[in-house]
Amino acid sequence: MTGHRKIIGGFVAGAALGLAIHASGSTQALTGFLDWVVQPVGRLFLRLLFMSVLPLVVSSLILGVSEMGDAARLGRVAVKTLALTVVVTGISVLTGLFAVELLRPGTGFPVDVREALIKSGTLPATPPAAPANAADRLLNLLPQNPFKAAADGDVLGLMFFSLLFGVGILMAGREKTATLLKVFEGIFEASMGFVGLVMKLAPLGVGCLVLNLTARFGYELLAHLLGYAAVVVGALAFHQFVTYSALVQAFGGMSAVDFFRRTREAMITAFGTSSSSVTLPISLKVCEEDLKVPRDVGRFVLTVGASANQNGTALYEGVTALFLAQCFGVDLNLGQKATVLMLAVLGGVGTAGVPGGSLPMLMAILGSIGVPVEGVLLILGIDRFLDMCRTVLNVTGDLLIAVLVGRWEGRARRVQA
Ligand code: ASP
C-alpha cells in the first residue's frame, strides 16, 4: 500500500473505531487507554514534524528566491512571469479566503474537541504579535536578530529574513554564492528526507488522533472536516474553471474549452501524482506540443513555476489557516487576515512541488497568527485528496502563465482548434 493510502486507512480505521467506542459509552479503562496510549502517539508524530519546519522553511524560501533570480538573466520574460505569478496567486488566495469567510466551516466547532486537540499536541502556540500600530506591525515583520527569531518561534520574521537573504545571494552573484546555495540545497534535501521518515508514522499518528477525538466526541468533528474539504474543493474549482478560463480567454488567445482540452494530460498526471515536480516533463511536452508556446518561454516558466507558482497550494493554505482559526475560536483582525494572504502567497513560492510539500509552510503560517499547530493533525487524514486537487491547479496555473507570457511576448504560434 502506498503512503497516502495508509494515511487514509489510518484515518478511516481511527474514525470507525472511535465512533464505535463513542456509541458504546466509554468506560474508565477506555479513557485511560486514550489518555496514556492513543494521545501520546499523536503528540509524538506532531513534535517530530514540527522539528523540520525551521530548516525547511528557511532553505526552501532562500532557494525559491534564488531560482527566480537565476531567471532574472532572462530579463523581460522573468519579470512578466513574476508579475503574473503574484497577481494570479493573489486572486487564488483571495478566492479561498472569501469562500471560507462566507461559509465558515469551522464555526461551531465544539469547545471540548478544541481543548482535547490542544492537549493532544501540547505545543505552545506562538502568541500573535499585538503591536500598537500599523507601523510597528510592519517593523515587527523584520527581526533584528534572525537567530533569536528562530529560537522564539517567530516564523514570520524568519520567512522575511530568508526572503531578503535570498535577494542578498542574488545580488552577490552566482560565482560567490555557489557553495552557500549548495549548503542550502543540502539542508533542504536533508529536511525533506527527515519529513519523509516522519511521515512513515503518519498513518498511526493520524489514526490515533482521529480515534482519540471521535471516541470522545462522535460525529460532530467529522461533519466540520467534511465542510472544510468541500470549501477547499469548491474554491479550487472556482479558480480553475472560472478565473483560469477568464484569463486564458481574455489574454491567452484561446478558448477555455480548448485550453483545458490541450492541458488534460498534465492535469491528470498532476492529480494522480500530487507532485508538480514529477509532472514537469509532461507539462513541458504539453506546453510545447499542444499549447505551442515557444520552447524557451515554456521551459523557463514551467521549471520555475513547478516550485514557485502554486496557486492551488496558496489557496489551500489560506483556507486552512482561516478554517483552523475558526475551529480554535481565534478571532483574526483584518491585519492578521492580510498577513495570512501575504504568507499564503509566499507559501506558494516556498513550497516544494512534492506530495504534502505545503505542510511545513502551513504550520509556519498557523504559528505566526497564533493558531495552535495541532490543528494540522485534524486535517491530515483528508489531506491527500486535497493535495491531488490543489496540484492540478498548481500545474494548470504554470501552463496558463506560459501561454500568457508567450502571447505577451508576441511570439506564441497560432494553435489550431
Ligand atoms: N503537492 C503539491 C505540488 O506538488 C504541493 C503541496 O501543496 O503540498 O504541487
Side-chain angles (χ1 to χ4, degrees):
M1 219 184 339
T2 49
H4 70 275
R5 293 226 173 101
K6 284 189 194 153
I7 298 180
I8 296 170
F11 182 87
V12 173
L17 200 61
L19 288 177
I21 293 177
H22 185 74
S24 71
S26 62
T27 63
Q28 222 179 346
L30 271 176
T31 313
F33 173 67
L34 293 178
D35 284 348
W36 295 103
V37 181
V38 177
Q39 208 161 275
V41 175
R43 280 175 59 182
L44 174 80
F45 170 64
L46 195 69
R47 275 188 175 258
L48 286 172
L49 202 58
F50 204 61
M51 224 184 326
S52 67
V53 168
L54 204 132
L56 210 51
V57 165
V58 172
S59 58
S60 62
L61 266 179
I62 289 178
L63 293 173
V65 175
S66 79
E67 268 161 30
M68 286 222 178
D70 251 359
R73 282 179 292 130
L74 268 153
R76 247 186 8 223
V77 170
V79 172
K80 288 174 182 170
T81 305
L82 185 67
L84 282 172
T85 299
V86 172
V87 171
V88 184
T89 309
I91 298 175
S92 83
V93 180
L94 280 174
T95 305
L97 296 188
F98 183 72
V100 72
E101 279 290 279
L102 191 73
L103 301 167
R104 303 193 66 85
T107 301
F109 195 74
V111 177
D112 37 5
V113 183
R114 182 192 300 171
E115 275 157 13
L117 200 57
I118 294 179
K119 235 173 78 195
S120 75
T122 61
L123 289 168
T126 316
N133 57 44
D136 283 350
R137 215 187 147 73
L138 281 177
L139 274 180
N140 277 3
L141 291 178
L142 301 173
Q144 291 194 48
N145 177 348
F147 293 100
K148 184 163 183 306
D152 290 347
D154 170 14
V155 188
L156 186 55
L158 211 58
M159 279 167 104
F160 271 92
F161 167 74
S162 312
L163 213 63
L164 295 177
F165 198 74
V167 175
I169 288 182
L170 284 179
M171 308 303 291
R174 259 272 174 226
E175 236 169 66
K176 290 183 191 141
T177 52
T179 317
L180 186 61
L181 279 175
K182 276 254 165 291
V183 171
F184 282 117
E185 265 166 37
I187 294 177
F188 176 76
E189 291 302 333
S191 311
M192 285 308 282
F194 177 71
V195 171
L197 196 67
V198 176
M199 286 307 278
K200 291 205 188 306
L201 263 182
L204 192 65
V206 168
C208 282
L209 171 95
V210 175
L211 167 59
N212 183 32
L213 293 178
T214 46
R216 292 176 205 262
F217 307 107
Y219 270 117
E220 219 173 327
L221 171 81
L222 297 179
H224 282 282
L225 271 183
L226 284 182
Y228 151 75
V231 169
V232 174
V233 174
L236 287 175
F238 183 91
H239 191 65
Q240 169 96 352
F241 295 115
V242 178
T243 310
Y244 285 173
S245 296
L247 287 173
V248 82
Q249 205 127 340
F251 306 109
M254 158 180 335
S255 81
V257 176
D258 200 22
F259 174 71
F260 288 123
R261 200 165 46 78
R262 288 171 195 274
T263 51
R264 202 167 35 189
E265 198 184 342
M267 290 196 286
I268 293 169
T269 313
F271 188 74
T273 61
S274 278
S275 167
S276 312
S277 301
V278 171
T279 312
L280 186 57
I282 311 281
S283 310
L284 286 168
K285 177 190 145 288
V286 164
C287 193
E288 196 185 335
E289 291 175 12
D290 301 319
L291 293 169
K292 312 286 184 214
V293 173
R295 181 185 287 184
D296 57 337
V297 173
R299 216 165 252 260
F300 169 70
V301 175
L302 295 182
T303 27
V304 171
S307 60
N309 175 42
Q310 302 196 338
N311 286 199
T313 294
L315 182 154
Y316 151 85
E317 285 173 355
V319 171
T320 308
L322 256 55
F323 165 69
L324 291 175
Q326 290 165 3
C327 289
F328 285 101
V330 179
D331 261 333
L332 300 177
N333 59 32
L334 208 61
Q336 284 168 310
K337 284 178 191 159
T339 306
V340 172
L341 171 69
M342 196 168 60
L343 288 181
V345 174
L346 274 182
V349 175
T351 295
V354 296
S358 48
L359 226 55
M361 206 48 97
L362 179 64
M363 291 173 108
I365 296 178
L366 294 179
S368 48
I369 53 167
V371 174
V373 290
E374 289 78 6
V376 165
L377 283 177
L378 199 60
I379 52 142
L380 215 52
I382 47 169
D383 188 59
R384 178 61 184 216
F385 174 66
L386 300 181
D387 197 358
M388 293 163 87
C389 299
R390 63 186 185 250
T391 307
V392 173
L393 264 82
N394 292 346
V395 169
T396 320
D398 295 339
L399 290 167
L400 171 76
I401 291 194
V403 169
L404 299 187
V405 173
R407 203 173 139 89
W408 200 351
E409 284 283 288
R411 291 195 285 125
R413 286 179 264 155
R414 282 199 81 73
V415 288
Q416 305 292 326

